[in-house]
Protein backbone atom coordinates (compact mmCIF):
# COMPACT_ATOMS: atom_id res chain seq x y z
CA UNK A 1 0.00 0.00 0.00
CA UNK A 2 3.11 2.07 -0.02
CA UNK A 3 2.92 4.07 -3.18
CA UNK A 4 -0.55 5.13 -2.60
CA UNK A 5 0.23 7.10 0.40
CA UNK A 6 3.13 8.47 -1.43
CA UNK A 7 1.16 11.24 -2.72
CA UNK A 8 -0.03 13.31 -0.06
CA UNK A 9 0.50 16.05 1.75
CA UNK A 10 -1.33 15.10 4.85
CA UNK A 11 1.74 13.07 5.51
CA UNK A 12 3.72 16.07 4.50
CA UNK A 13 3.23 17.23 8.01
CA UNK A 14 5.79 14.55 8.71
CA UNK A 15 8.27 15.97 6.25
CA UNK A 16 10.17 18.18 8.69
CA UNK A 17 10.44 15.24 11.05
CA UNK A 18 11.73 12.84 8.39
CA UNK A 19 15.26 12.78 9.85
CA UNK A 20 13.77 11.92 13.22
CA UNK A 21 11.67 9.22 11.62
CA UNK A 22 14.77 7.93 9.89
CA UNK A 23 16.64 7.78 13.17
CA UNK A 24 13.73 5.95 14.76
CA UNK A 25 13.62 3.49 11.89
CA UNK A 26 17.36 2.84 12.14
CA UNK A 27 17.04 2.26 15.85
CA UNK A 28 14.21 -0.14 15.21
CA UNK A 29 16.26 -1.98 12.62
CA UNK A 30 19.21 -2.27 15.01
CA UNK A 31 17.02 -3.63 17.76
CA UNK A 32 15.03 -5.93 15.56
CA UNK A 33 15.65 -9.61 15.46
CA UNK A 34 17.12 -11.09 12.34
CA UNK A 35 16.36 -14.20 10.36
CA UNK A 36 18.93 -16.95 10.89
CA UNK A 37 20.95 -17.53 7.74
CA UNK A 38 21.20 -21.16 6.64
CA UNK A 39 24.49 -23.05 7.08
CA UNK A 40 27.03 -22.20 4.37
CA UNK A 41 27.45 -25.85 3.38
CA UNK A 42 23.91 -25.96 1.97
CA UNK A 43 24.27 -23.92 -1.25
CA UNK A 44 20.62 -24.33 -2.28
CA UNK A 45 19.39 -23.05 1.05
CA UNK A 46 21.86 -20.15 0.91
CA UNK A 47 20.64 -19.32 -2.58
CA UNK A 48 17.02 -19.39 -1.42
CA UNK A 49 17.85 -17.16 1.57
CA UNK A 50 19.37 -14.60 -0.80
CA UNK A 51 16.40 -14.70 -3.13
CA UNK A 52 13.92 -14.19 -0.32
CA UNK A 53 16.12 -11.27 0.79
CA UNK A 54 14.21 -10.72 3.99
CA UNK A 55 16.87 -10.60 6.72
CA UNK A 56 14.47 -8.91 9.14
CA UNK A 57 11.74 -11.48 8.62
CA UNK A 58 10.84 -12.05 12.30
CA UNK A 59 10.37 -8.30 12.88
CA UNK A 60 8.59 -7.88 9.54
CA UNK A 61 6.16 -10.64 10.44
CA UNK A 62 5.37 -8.92 13.74
CA UNK A 63 4.77 -5.66 11.86
CA UNK A 64 2.54 -7.54 9.43
CA UNK A 65 0.48 -8.93 12.32
CA UNK A 66 0.09 -5.41 13.74
CA UNK A 67 -0.97 -4.14 10.33
CA UNK A 68 -3.49 -6.93 9.85
CA UNK A 69 -5.07 -6.23 13.24
CA UNK A 70 -5.43 -2.51 12.52
CA UNK A 71 -6.66 -3.23 9.01
CA UNK A 72 -9.36 -5.62 10.12
CA UNK A 73 -10.47 -3.35 12.95
CA UNK A 74 -10.48 -0.06 11.06
CA UNK A 75 -9.30 0.22 7.45
CA UNK A 76 -11.21 -2.67 5.94
CA UNK A 77 -14.59 -1.85 7.56
CA UNK A 78 -14.24 1.79 6.51
CA UNK A 79 -13.39 0.77 2.93
CA UNK A 80 -16.36 -1.61 2.85
CA UNK A 81 -18.68 1.10 4.10
CA UNK A 82 -17.28 3.49 1.49
CA UNK A 83 -18.02 0.96 -1.26
CA UNK A 84 -21.49 0.23 0.10
CA UNK A 85 -22.55 3.83 0.67
CA UNK A 86 -21.19 5.69 -2.32
CA UNK A 87 -22.27 4.86 -5.86
CA UNK A 88 -19.54 3.80 -8.25
CA UNK A 89 -19.52 6.96 -10.42
CA UNK A 90 -18.72 9.04 -7.34
CA UNK A 91 -15.94 6.67 -6.26
CA UNK A 92 -14.52 6.79 -9.78
CA UNK A 93 -14.59 10.57 -9.65
CA UNK A 94 -12.67 10.51 -6.38
CA UNK A 95 -10.06 8.16 -7.83
CA UNK A 96 -9.68 10.29 -10.93
CA UNK A 97 -9.25 13.42 -8.86
CA UNK A 98 -6.65 11.84 -6.57
CA UNK A 99 -4.74 10.62 -9.60
CA UNK A 100 -4.80 14.08 -11.13
CA UNK A 101 -3.41 15.55 -7.91
CA UNK A 102 -0.42 13.21 -8.14
CA UNK A 103 0.66 14.81 -11.42
CA UNK A 104 3.75 16.57 -9.98
CA UNK A 105 5.10 13.26 -8.66
CA UNK A 106 4.28 11.32 -11.85
CA UNK A 107 5.68 14.05 -14.11
CA UNK A 108 8.90 14.24 -12.09
CA UNK A 109 9.25 10.48 -12.35
CA UNK A 110 8.64 10.50 -16.12
CA UNK A 111 11.26 13.19 -16.64
CA UNK A 112 13.89 11.81 -14.29
CA UNK A 113 13.55 8.48 -16.07
CA UNK A 114 14.13 10.27 -19.37
CA UNK A 115 10.72 9.28 -20.66
CA UNK A 116 9.66 12.41 -22.49
CA UNK A 117 6.80 10.74 -24.30
CA UNK A 118 5.20 9.71 -21.03
CA UNK A 119 5.96 13.13 -19.52
CA UNK A 120 4.14 14.78 -22.39
CA UNK A 121 1.12 12.54 -21.83
CA UNK A 122 1.12 13.25 -18.08
CA UNK A 123 1.24 16.98 -18.67
CA UNK A 124 -1.41 16.90 -21.39
CA UNK A 125 -3.71 14.82 -19.22
CA UNK A 126 -3.27 17.24 -16.33
CA UNK A 127 -4.17 20.25 -18.44
CA UNK A 128 -7.21 18.63 -20.02
CA UNK A 129 -8.51 16.88 -16.92
CA UNK A 130 -8.01 19.84 -14.57
CA UNK A 131 -10.09 22.09 -16.82
CA UNK A 132 -12.58 20.25 -19.00
CA UNK A 133 -12.48 17.36 -16.55
CA UNK A 134 -13.72 19.58 -13.71
CA UNK A 135 -10.67 19.55 -11.49
CA UNK A 136 -9.68 16.02 -12.42
CA UNK A 137 -12.98 14.40 -11.44
CA UNK A 138 -13.70 13.30 -15.02
CA UNK A 139 -10.91 11.53 -16.89
CA UNK A 140 -11.62 13.23 -20.22
CA UNK A 141 -8.14 12.36 -21.53
CA UNK A 142 -8.80 8.69 -21.20
CA UNK A 143 -11.95 9.01 -23.26
CA UNK A 144 -9.78 10.75 -25.86
CA UNK A 145 -7.48 7.73 -25.85
CA UNK A 146 -4.69 8.96 -23.57
CA UNK A 147 -4.62 6.58 -20.60
CA UNK A 148 -2.98 7.51 -17.34
CA UNK A 149 -0.02 5.79 -15.78
CA UNK A 150 1.72 5.93 -12.46
CA UNK A 151 5.25 6.73 -11.40
CA UNK A 152 6.99 7.30 -8.09
CA UNK A 153 10.51 8.04 -6.96
CA UNK A 154 11.09 4.45 -5.86
CA UNK A 155 10.62 3.45 -9.51
CA UNK A 156 12.93 6.23 -10.68
CA UNK A 157 15.66 5.03 -8.31
CA UNK A 158 15.19 1.51 -9.68
CA UNK A 159 15.48 2.75 -13.26
CA UNK A 160 18.69 4.50 -12.21
CA UNK A 161 20.03 1.14 -11.09
CA UNK A 162 19.30 1.11 -7.35
CA UNK A 163 18.51 -2.33 -6.00
CA UNK A 164 15.66 -2.81 -3.56
CA UNK A 165 17.99 -3.45 -0.63
CA UNK A 166 15.93 -5.85 1.46
CA UNK A 167 12.29 -6.47 2.21
CA UNK A 168 10.47 -4.37 4.79
CA UNK A 169 6.90 -4.50 6.00
CA UNK A 170 5.76 -1.16 7.39
CA UNK A 171 2.43 -1.11 9.24
CA UNK A 172 -0.15 1.06 7.41
CA UNK A 173 2.15 1.51 4.41
CA UNK A 174 2.48 -2.16 3.59
CA UNK A 175 5.26 -4.03 1.79
CA UNK A 176 8.32 -1.96 1.00
CA UNK A 177 12.11 -1.80 1.01
CA UNK A 178 14.66 0.94 1.76
CA UNK A 179 14.66 2.13 -1.86
CA UNK A 180 10.88 2.50 -2.07
CA UNK A 181 10.73 4.01 1.41
CA UNK A 182 13.26 6.64 0.39
CA UNK A 183 11.19 7.21 -2.75
CA UNK A 184 8.09 7.59 -0.61
CA UNK A 185 9.72 10.34 1.47
CA UNK A 186 10.96 12.06 -1.68
CA UNK A 187 7.48 11.99 -3.21
CA UNK A 188 6.16 13.88 -0.20
CA UNK A 189 8.86 16.48 -0.69
CA UNK A 190 8.12 16.73 -4.44
CA UNK A 191 4.46 17.44 -3.77
CA UNK A 192 4.01 21.23 -4.06
CA UNK A 193 1.34 21.44 -1.39
CA UNK A 194 4.00 20.34 1.07
CA UNK A 195 5.57 23.74 0.65
CA UNK A 196 2.99 26.24 -0.44
CA UNK A 197 0.72 28.12 1.89
CA UNK A 198 -0.47 27.44 5.35
CA UNK A 199 -3.60 27.81 7.36
CA UNK A 200 -6.46 25.76 8.63
CA UNK A 201 -8.19 25.45 5.29
CA UNK A 202 -5.13 24.02 3.61
CA UNK A 203 -4.52 21.67 6.51
CA UNK A 204 -8.12 20.49 6.38
CA UNK A 205 -7.84 19.90 2.64
CA UNK A 206 -4.59 17.98 3.04
CA UNK A 207 -6.04 15.71 5.69
CA UNK A 208 -9.13 15.18 3.56
CA UNK A 209 -6.93 14.18 0.67
CA UNK A 210 -4.92 11.83 2.85
CA UNK A 211 -8.09 10.24 4.19
CA UNK A 212 -9.62 9.85 0.74
CA UNK A 213 -6.46 8.29 -0.65
CA UNK A 214 -6.31 5.73 2.15
CA UNK A 215 -9.97 4.83 1.74
CA UNK A 216 -9.87 4.78 -2.07
CA UNK A 217 -6.80 2.57 -2.08
CA UNK A 218 -8.13 0.16 0.48
CA UNK A 219 -11.41 -0.06 -1.43
CA UNK A 220 -9.50 -0.95 -4.61
CA UNK A 221 -7.68 -3.69 -2.70
CA UNK A 222 -10.73 -5.22 -0.98
CA UNK A 223 -11.09 -8.12 -3.41
CA UNK A 224 -7.40 -8.95 -3.95
CA UNK A 225 -6.65 -8.90 -0.21
CA UNK A 226 -9.72 -10.98 0.61
CA UNK A 227 -8.54 -13.47 -2.02
CA UNK A 228 -5.04 -13.66 -0.49
CA UNK A 229 -6.44 -14.12 3.01
CA UNK A 230 -8.83 -16.81 1.84
CA UNK A 231 -6.47 -18.80 -0.34
CA UNK A 232 -2.93 -18.38 0.97
CA UNK A 233 -1.35 -20.68 3.53
CA UNK A 234 1.02 -17.84 4.39
CA UNK A 235 -0.34 -14.41 3.40
CA UNK A 236 2.87 -12.70 4.54
CA UNK A 237 4.99 -14.72 2.07
CA UNK A 238 2.41 -14.33 -0.69
CA UNK A 239 2.36 -10.56 -0.34
CA UNK A 240 6.16 -10.39 -0.21
CA UNK A 241 6.43 -12.23 -3.51
CA UNK A 242 3.51 -10.38 -5.11
CA UNK A 243 4.91 -6.98 -4.09
CA UNK A 244 8.27 -7.67 -5.73
CA UNK A 245 6.70 -8.94 -8.93
CA UNK A 246 4.29 -6.05 -9.06
CA UNK A 247 7.06 -3.50 -8.54
CA UNK A 248 9.16 -5.08 -11.30
CA UNK A 249 6.14 -4.79 -13.60
CA UNK A 250 5.63 -1.13 -12.69
CA UNK A 251 9.31 -0.28 -13.01
CA UNK A 252 9.36 -1.71 -16.54
CA UNK A 253 6.31 0.46 -17.38
CA UNK A 254 4.45 -2.58 -18.61
CA UNK A 255 1.08 -0.90 -18.21
CA UNK A 256 -1.63 -3.00 -19.73
CA UNK A 257 -3.36 -1.91 -22.90
CA UNK A 258 -6.76 -1.74 -21.27
CA UNK A 259 -6.44 -1.51 -17.54
CA UNK A 260 -3.24 0.38 -16.94
CA UNK A 261 -2.36 1.30 -13.40
CA UNK A 262 -4.59 4.11 -12.34
CA UNK A 263 -2.70 7.32 -11.96
CA UNK A 264 -3.93 7.24 -8.40
CA UNK A 265 -1.42 4.61 -7.74
CA UNK A 266 0.22 1.28 -7.97
CA UNK A 267 -0.54 -0.23 -4.65
CA UNK A 268 2.29 -2.29 -3.41
CA UNK A 269 0.17 -5.22 -2.41
CA UNK A 270 0.92 -7.08 -5.57
CA UNK A 271 -2.12 -5.63 -7.18
CA UNK A 272 -2.33 -2.20 -8.69
CA UNK A 273 -5.10 0.27 -8.15
CA UNK A 274 -6.65 0.05 -11.56
CA UNK A 275 -7.95 2.80 -13.70
CA UNK A 276 -11.66 3.11 -12.95
CA UNK A 277 -13.94 1.67 -15.52
CA UNK B 1 -7.74 -0.87 -27.46
CA UNK B 2 -4.04 -0.42 -27.51
CA UNK B 3 -1.93 -0.68 -30.57
CA UNK B 4 -0.43 -4.09 -29.87
CA UNK B 5 -3.85 -5.58 -29.46
CA UNK B 6 -5.54 -4.16 -32.48
CA UNK B 7 -2.77 -4.45 -34.99
CA UNK B 8 -3.74 -7.49 -36.92
CA UNK B 9 -1.12 -6.84 -39.54
CA UNK B 10 1.58 -6.85 -36.94
CA UNK B 11 0.19 -10.06 -35.54
CA UNK B 12 0.12 -11.65 -38.96
CA UNK B 13 3.61 -10.50 -39.70
CA UNK B 14 4.92 -11.88 -36.45
CA UNK B 15 3.19 -15.15 -37.20
CA UNK B 16 4.82 -15.28 -40.60
CA UNK B 17 8.18 -14.47 -39.10
CA UNK B 18 7.68 -17.10 -36.47
CA UNK B 19 6.70 -19.57 -39.15
CA UNK B 20 9.80 -18.81 -41.16
CA UNK B 21 11.93 -19.05 -38.04
CA UNK B 22 10.39 -22.37 -37.08
CA UNK B 23 10.83 -23.75 -40.57
CA UNK B 24 14.55 -23.21 -40.30
CA UNK B 25 15.08 -24.58 -36.84
CA UNK B 26 12.39 -27.22 -36.78
CA UNK B 27 13.66 -30.49 -35.52
CA UNK B 28 16.72 -28.87 -34.02
CA UNK B 29 14.96 -28.26 -30.71
CA UNK B 30 12.73 -30.82 -29.19
CA UNK B 31 9.45 -29.60 -27.72
CA UNK B 32 9.73 -26.07 -28.94
CA UNK B 33 6.60 -24.03 -28.36
CA UNK B 34 5.23 -22.63 -31.60
CA UNK B 35 3.73 -19.23 -30.81
CA UNK B 36 0.89 -19.57 -33.31
CA UNK B 37 -0.07 -22.85 -31.73
CA UNK B 38 0.19 -21.38 -28.22
CA UNK B 39 -2.05 -18.51 -29.15
CA UNK B 40 -4.63 -20.73 -30.86
CA UNK B 41 -4.64 -22.98 -27.82
CA UNK B 42 -5.25 -20.10 -25.39
CA UNK B 43 -7.94 -18.75 -27.67
CA UNK B 44 -9.76 -22.10 -27.73
CA UNK B 45 -9.44 -22.63 -23.97
CA UNK B 46 -10.54 -19.02 -23.35
CA UNK B 47 -13.61 -19.42 -25.54
CA UNK B 48 -14.54 -22.60 -23.78
CA UNK B 49 -14.09 -20.95 -20.37
CA UNK B 50 -16.11 -17.83 -21.17
CA UNK B 51 -18.91 -19.95 -22.61
CA UNK B 52 -19.06 -21.99 -19.40
CA UNK B 53 -18.80 -18.93 -17.15
CA UNK B 54 -21.53 -17.04 -19.00
CA UNK B 55 -23.88 -20.02 -19.33
CA UNK B 56 -26.96 -18.85 -17.44
CA UNK B 57 -28.50 -22.31 -17.43
CA UNK B 58 -25.86 -23.59 -15.00
CA UNK B 59 -26.05 -23.21 -11.24
CA UNK B 60 -23.03 -21.79 -9.45
CA UNK B 61 -21.70 -25.19 -8.47
CA UNK B 62 -22.28 -26.65 -11.94
CA UNK B 63 -20.49 -23.68 -13.44
CA UNK B 64 -17.52 -24.10 -11.14
CA UNK B 65 -17.32 -27.77 -11.92
CA UNK B 66 -17.39 -27.13 -15.64
CA UNK B 67 -14.71 -24.45 -15.32
CA UNK B 68 -12.58 -26.80 -13.21
CA UNK B 69 -12.86 -29.50 -15.87
CA UNK B 70 -11.77 -27.16 -18.63
CA UNK B 71 -8.85 -25.96 -16.52
CA UNK B 72 -7.85 -29.52 -15.66
CA UNK B 73 -7.27 -30.30 -19.34
CA UNK B 74 -5.71 -26.91 -20.13
CA UNK B 75 -3.21 -26.69 -17.24
CA UNK B 76 -0.13 -28.85 -16.74
CA UNK B 77 -1.03 -29.41 -13.11
CA UNK B 78 1.64 -31.96 -12.33
CA UNK B 79 4.50 -29.97 -13.88
CA UNK B 80 3.31 -26.76 -12.23
CA UNK B 81 3.00 -28.53 -8.90
CA UNK B 82 6.56 -29.84 -9.18
CA UNK B 83 7.87 -26.41 -10.17
CA UNK B 84 6.17 -24.84 -7.16
CA UNK B 85 7.58 -27.39 -4.72
CA UNK B 86 11.02 -26.64 -6.18
CA UNK B 87 13.99 -28.02 -4.28
CA UNK B 88 11.74 -29.50 -1.60
CA UNK B 89 10.48 -31.92 -4.23
CA UNK B 90 13.71 -33.87 -3.87
CA UNK B 91 13.30 -34.12 -0.11
CA UNK B 92 9.79 -35.51 -0.43
CA UNK B 93 9.29 -39.26 -0.29
CA UNK B 94 7.44 -40.78 -3.29
CA UNK B 95 4.32 -41.14 -1.12
CA UNK B 96 4.57 -37.49 -0.01
CA UNK B 97 5.03 -36.35 -3.59
CA UNK B 98 2.01 -38.29 -4.69
CA UNK B 99 -0.13 -36.85 -1.92
CA UNK B 100 1.20 -33.36 -2.61
CA UNK B 101 0.27 -33.51 -6.29
CA UNK B 102 -3.25 -34.70 -5.41
CA UNK B 103 -3.75 -31.90 -2.87
CA UNK B 104 -2.25 -29.33 -5.22
CA UNK B 105 -4.59 -30.38 -8.00
CA UNK B 106 -7.57 -29.95 -5.72
CA UNK B 107 -6.51 -26.57 -4.29
CA UNK B 108 -5.43 -24.96 -7.54
CA UNK B 109 -8.56 -26.02 -9.41
CA UNK B 110 -10.74 -24.90 -6.56
CA UNK B 111 -9.10 -21.49 -6.28
CA UNK B 112 -9.07 -20.82 -9.99
CA UNK B 113 -12.57 -22.05 -10.69
CA UNK B 114 -13.93 -20.11 -7.71
CA UNK B 115 -12.27 -16.97 -9.07
CA UNK B 116 -13.16 -17.44 -12.73
CA UNK B 117 -16.64 -18.65 -11.83
CA UNK B 118 -17.43 -15.18 -10.46
CA UNK B 119 -16.54 -13.48 -13.71
CA UNK B 120 -20.11 -13.30 -15.01
CA UNK B 121 -20.38 -11.46 -18.30
CA UNK B 122 -16.65 -11.85 -18.88
CA UNK B 123 -15.15 -11.20 -22.30
CA UNK B 124 -11.59 -11.74 -23.31
CA UNK B 125 -9.52 -10.61 -26.23
CA UNK B 126 -6.34 -12.13 -27.45
CA UNK B 127 -3.25 -9.96 -27.49
CA UNK B 128 0.30 -10.43 -28.52
CA UNK B 129 2.16 -13.71 -28.21
CA UNK B 130 5.87 -13.81 -27.50
CA UNK B 131 8.42 -16.54 -27.36
CA UNK B 132 9.76 -16.56 -23.82
CA UNK B 133 12.24 -19.40 -23.81
CA UNK B 134 12.75 -22.19 -26.28
CA UNK B 135 10.20 -24.26 -24.41
CA UNK B 136 7.49 -21.74 -23.70
CA UNK B 137 5.52 -18.85 -25.11
CA UNK B 138 3.57 -16.09 -23.39
CA UNK B 139 0.09 -15.36 -24.68
CA UNK B 140 -1.41 -12.09 -23.51
CA UNK B 141 -5.16 -11.61 -23.03
CA UNK B 142 -7.26 -8.71 -21.81
CA UNK B 143 -10.09 -9.65 -19.49
CA UNK B 144 -13.13 -7.39 -19.44
CA UNK B 145 -15.93 -7.73 -16.94
CA UNK B 146 -18.99 -5.63 -16.21
CA UNK B 147 -18.51 -3.34 -13.19
CA UNK B 148 -14.77 -3.94 -12.98
CA UNK B 149 -11.71 -2.47 -14.54
CA UNK B 150 -10.27 -4.65 -17.30
CA UNK B 151 -6.90 -6.25 -16.72
CA UNK B 152 -4.15 -8.09 -18.51
CA UNK B 153 -3.85 -11.83 -17.96
CA UNK B 154 -0.82 -13.56 -19.50
CA UNK B 155 -0.73 -17.31 -20.07
CA UNK B 156 2.59 -19.11 -20.18
CA UNK B 157 2.18 -22.07 -22.52
CA UNK B 158 4.62 -24.96 -22.93
CA UNK B 159 4.68 -28.15 -24.92
CA UNK B 160 4.00 -31.02 -22.54
CA UNK B 161 4.35 -34.41 -24.21
CA UNK B 162 3.31 -33.01 -27.56
CA UNK B 163 0.33 -31.01 -26.23
CA UNK B 164 0.26 -27.28 -25.49
CA UNK B 165 -0.50 -26.73 -21.81
CA UNK B 166 -0.74 -23.73 -19.52
CA UNK B 167 2.15 -23.71 -17.03
CA UNK B 168 1.52 -20.31 -15.41
CA UNK B 169 -0.99 -17.45 -15.35
CA UNK B 170 0.27 -13.93 -14.73
CA UNK B 171 -2.22 -11.25 -13.67
CA UNK B 172 -0.91 -7.72 -14.24
CA UNK B 173 2.66 -8.86 -13.69
CA UNK B 174 2.07 -11.22 -10.76
CA UNK B 175 2.76 -14.86 -11.55
CA UNK B 176 0.63 -17.46 -9.85
CA UNK B 177 3.35 -20.10 -9.78
CA UNK B 178 6.05 -17.77 -8.40
CA UNK B 179 3.73 -16.44 -5.70
CA UNK B 180 2.61 -19.94 -4.74
CA UNK B 181 6.21 -21.17 -4.71
CA UNK B 182 7.10 -18.48 -2.13
CA UNK B 183 4.02 -19.33 -0.12
CA UNK B 184 4.72 -23.09 0.02
CA UNK B 185 8.44 -22.60 0.66
CA UNK B 186 7.62 -20.32 3.60
CA UNK B 187 5.30 -22.92 5.12
CA UNK B 188 8.00 -25.60 4.85
CA UNK B 189 10.80 -23.38 6.18
CA UNK B 190 8.80 -22.23 9.16
CA UNK B 191 8.04 -25.80 10.12
CA UNK B 192 11.51 -27.27 10.35
CA UNK B 193 11.97 -27.81 6.63
CA UNK B 194 9.50 -30.71 6.55
CA UNK B 195 7.41 -31.31 3.45
CA UNK B 196 4.95 -33.14 5.72
CA UNK B 197 4.07 -29.82 7.37
CA UNK B 198 3.05 -28.39 3.99
CA UNK B 199 0.86 -31.40 3.31
CA UNK B 200 -0.78 -30.93 6.69
CA UNK B 201 -1.48 -27.26 5.95
CA UNK B 202 -2.88 -28.13 2.51
CA UNK B 203 -5.18 -30.79 3.99
CA UNK B 204 -6.39 -28.22 6.51
CA UNK B 205 -7.07 -25.74 3.73
CA UNK B 206 -9.13 -28.24 1.76
CA UNK B 207 -11.16 -29.10 4.86
CA UNK B 208 -11.82 -25.39 5.41
CA UNK B 209 -12.90 -24.86 1.83
CA UNK B 210 -15.26 -27.81 2.04
CA UNK B 211 -16.72 -26.52 5.32
CA UNK B 212 -17.20 -23.04 3.87
CA UNK B 213 -18.96 -24.36 0.82
CA UNK B 214 -21.08 -26.81 2.79
CA UNK B 215 -22.16 -24.11 5.24
Amino acid sequence: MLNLYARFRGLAALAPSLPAAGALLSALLLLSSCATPPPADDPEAVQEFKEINDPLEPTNRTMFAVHEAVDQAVLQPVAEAYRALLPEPIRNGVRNMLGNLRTPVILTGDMLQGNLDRARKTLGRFMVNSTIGLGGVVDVSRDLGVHGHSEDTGQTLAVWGAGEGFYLFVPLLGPSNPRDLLGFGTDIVINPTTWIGQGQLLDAWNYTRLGLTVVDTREALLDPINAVRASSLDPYATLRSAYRQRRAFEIQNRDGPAGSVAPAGGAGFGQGVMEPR
Amino acid sequence: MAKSFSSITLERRSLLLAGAFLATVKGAKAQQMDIARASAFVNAAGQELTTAINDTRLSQSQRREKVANILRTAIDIEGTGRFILGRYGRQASPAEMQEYLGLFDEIILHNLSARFGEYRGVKFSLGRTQQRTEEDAMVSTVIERPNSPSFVLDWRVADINGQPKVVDVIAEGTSLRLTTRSEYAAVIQRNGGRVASLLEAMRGQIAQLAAREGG
Side-chain angles (χ1 to χ4, degrees):
Chain A
M1 225 140 120
L2 167 81
N3 313 325
L4 12 136
Y5 298 121
R7 39 221 75 134
F8 359 38
R9 142 69 200 177
L11 272 185
L14 293 175
S17 56
L18 273 182
L24 186 71
L25 189 70
S26 329
L28 197 73
L29 294 184
L30 284 176
L31 289 173
S32 59
S33 50
C34 294
T36 321
D41 59 358
D42 187 348
E44 270 191 330
V46 172
Q47 173 69 17
E48 189 175 40
F49 186 77
K50 281 189 186 151
E51 273 170 25
I52 293 173
N53 191 16
D54 189 1
L56 303 179
E57 184 167 343
T59 312
N60 280 337
R61 280 190 184 266
T62 310
M63 294 296 130
F64 178 65
V66 170
H67 173 86
E68 283 287 277
V70 175
D71 183 71
Q72 288 177 24
V74 185
L75 295 179
Q76 185 183 354
V78 171
E80 281 167 350
Y82 175 74
R83 179 182 279 186
L85 295 176
L86 291 181
E88 200 187 5
I90 295 186
R91 287 186 271 120
N92 286 348
V94 168
R95 186 168 299 168
N96 288 336
M97 183 195 69
L98 292 170
N100 196 50
L101 289 172
R102 280 200 71 230
T103 300
V105 169
I106 301 174
L107 186 63
T108 307
D110 288 336
M111 293 198 297
L112 292 179
Q113 292 173 35
N115 208 324
L116 295 182
D117 188 45
R118 275 164 69 100
R120 188 176 53 79
K121 283 183 183 160
T122 303
L123 198 58
R125 281 175 51 80
F126 180 72
M127 293 196 289
V128 171
N129 288 353
S130 303
T131 52
I132 309 173
L134 309 173
V137 172
V138 187
D139 192 347
V140 184
S141 307
R142 188 184 63 161
D143 299 335
L144 296 173
V146 185
H147 286 256
H149 61 261
S150 190
E151 283 298 345
D152 55 74
T153 306
Q155 293 189 47
T156 302
L157 293 172
V159 170
W160 288 355
E164 61 168 29
F166 48 86
Y167 186 69
L168 277 176
F169 192 96
V170 186
L172 299 181
L173 290 186
S176 191
N177 55 54
R179 179 196 68 206
D180 291 349
L181 214 52
L182 177 66
F184 171 63
T186 312
D187 289 344
I188 295 173
V189 175
I190 288 173
N191 191 334
T193 51
T194 305
W195 306 108
I196 57 156
Q198 52 184 336
Q200 283 180 343
L201 212 61
L202 189 67
D203 281 348
W205 160 245
N206 283 327
Y207 282 112
T208 308
R209 183 180 169 193
L210 173 65
L212 280 176
T213 307
V214 173
V215 174
D216 169 64
T217 304
R218 189 61 186 88
E219 190 273 335
L221 295 174
L222 279 174
D223 299 329
I225 291 183
N226 285 345
V228 169
R229 284 185 187 147
S231 67
S232 177
L233 296 171
D234 189 339
Y236 172 85
T238 300
L239 285 179
R240 181 175 60 196
S241 170
Y243 175 69
R244 287 203 171 117
Q245 295 182 53
R246 177 74 206 172
R247 285 300 275 171
F249 180 82
E250 289 171 354
I251 290 161
Q252 293 163 17
N253 290 347
R254 286 192 55 213
D255 306 333
S260 62
V261 189
F269 266 116
Q271 186 85 28
V273 174
M274 308 297 286
E275 202 170 57
R277 204 154 44 87
Chain B
M1 271 297 126
K3 36 209 164 133
S4 56
F5 281 75
S6 59
S7 169
I8 294 163
T9 9
L10 192 68
E11 192 102 298
R12 196 172 294 154
R13 195 163 26 157
S14 61
L15 288 185
L16 281 175
L17 276 176
F21 174 73
L22 280 178
T24 54
V25 294
K26 205 162 189 177
K29 302 277 179 228
Q31 299 204 330
Q32 179 152 27
M33 195 64 232
D34 174 339
I35 62 171
R37 196 157 150 248
S39 139
F41 163 71
V42 169
N43 192 28
Q47 297 289 1
E48 219 181 328
L49 280 172
T50 43
T51 308
I53 294 165
N54 295 327
D55 189 342
T56 45
R57 291 166 305 168
L58 301 177
S59 71
Q60 194 193 39
S61 58
Q62 286 172 319
R63 196 163 61 234
R64 281 191 181 184
E65 198 182 317
K66 203 162 176 194
V67 169
N69 286 335
I70 299 166
L71 291 171
R72 179 172 276 121
T73 39
I75 301 176
D76 174 26
I77 294 179
E78 187 183 334
T80 308
R82 286 180 189 275
F83 173 89
I84 285 170
L85 199 54
R87 69 189 185 98
Y88 298 106
R90 266 173 282 131
Q91 291 173 23
S93 70
E96 280 177 330
M97 185 52 119
Q98 200 185 353
E99 189 189 356
Y100 163 77
L101 289 172
L103 294 168
F104 177 73
D105 178 295
E106 201 168 331
I107 289 173
I108 200 82
L109 288 176
H110 180 279
N111 286 346
L112 286 176
S113 55
R115 202 176 307 170
F116 288 153
E118 301 307 314
Y119 288 2
R120 301 309 297 272
V122 68
K123 282 193 293 192
F124 86 100
S125 46
L126 210 54
R128 170 172 62 160
T129 303
Q130 291 170 295
Q131 195 82 39
R132 268 306 153 99
T133 66
E134 279 167 3
E135 286 87 28
D136 55 24
M138 193 77 91
V139 183
S140 201
T141 59
V142 177
I143 311 293
E144 290 172 75
R145 290 181 291 156
N147 303 319
S148 302
S150 47
F151 65 96
V152 180
L153 195 64
D154 293 334
W155 308 74
R156 191 184 277 270
V157 178
D159 184 307
I160 307 295
N161 304 323
Q163 290 293 322
K165 294 267 184 189
V166 174
V167 294
D168 194 9
V169 283
I170 299 118
E172 289 280 323
T174 309
S175 143
L176 180 69
R177 69 174 181 179
L178 290 181
T179 312
T180 314
R181 178 140 96 164
S182 306
E183 172 192 339
Y184 286 6
V187 173
I188 295 173
Q189 281 160 11
R190 288 166 60 75
N191 291 282
R194 294 177 313 118
V195 173
S197 60
L198 173 66
L199 299 179
E200 205 174 300
M202 291 170 87
R203 280 194 293 265
Q205 189 176 32
I206 289 172
Q208 265 181 11
L209 294 172
R212 203 177 306 152
E213 252 134 61

